[in-house]
Amino acid sequence: MADIKGGCLCGAVRFSGSGDPLFMANCHCADCRKSSASGHMSLLGLPKDKVQFTGEMSEYEIKADSGATVAHHFCPTCGSQIYNDTTNGAGNVAIVATTLDDPSVFSPQAVVYASGAAPWDPPYDGVPHFEKMPPAGG
């Protein structure tokens, strides 16, 4: 069981949670690349009821290729993206791993949307790769 704490760059938004992550993955989809301003986004999944958020957040919604709506939650002051959730996410959140106080809590178990990886940011070796999003439980 892990203690999971973190927050945004300016400190206005904080979160804390506990429990074993549901997933830990690097995502190379276009949405994650663009919203992270990087080659991929590292995400750690937890049940939303196991995480407490403090501070005001803004939200931006997009449609995923699955048809689900993805909400990106971020600090309106510094712009740090804190977590994502989806309309088909079964009450789970995907914490952006770069916001963790202790980055050693995160260790990717999979790479998703490997087909979208930029040539200068190839998918992480040593973990399963999925060309798109695998089916739930896959």
Side-chain angles (χ1 to χ4, degrees):
M1 179 156 323
D3 261 347
I4 298 166
K5 295 180 182 187
C8 68
L9 179 62
C10 73
V13 175
R14 296 287 304 156
F15 63 84
S16 63
S18 62
D20 293 327
L22 302 169
F23 63 85
M24 291 188 276
N26 290 338
C27 183
H28 289 268
C29 78
D31 294 335
C32 282
R33 284 187 287 111
K34 289 181 179 185
S35 66
S36 70
S38 181
H40 68 275
M41 185 179 289
S42 298
L43 299 160
L44 179 148
L46 288 172
K48 191 170 189 172
D49 64 358
K50 299 288 185 193
V51 186
Q52 295 76 46
F53 297 96
T54 59
E56 180 183 338
M57 283 189 265
S58 293
E59 176 180 309
Y60 177 74
E61 292 184 345
I62 59 167
K63 277 284 194 212
D65 64 355
S66 66
T69 299
V70 178
H72 298 266
H73 302 267
F74 58 94
C75 173
T77 302
C78 67
S80 297
Q81 189 170 178
I82 305 298
Y83 75 96
N84 301 331
D85 57 6
T86 71
T87 53
N88 66 359
N92 300 320
V93 296
I95 303 287
V96 178
T98 55
T99 64
L100 294 167
D101 289 346
D102 178 3
S104 71
V105 170
F106 180 80
S107 179
Q109 301 165 329
V111 172
V112 296
Y113 287 94
S115 61
W120 44 265
D121 187 30
Y124 189 80
D125 286 331
V127 297
H129 290 70
F130 300 90
E131 292 303 300
K132 300 285 183 190
M133 182 65 71

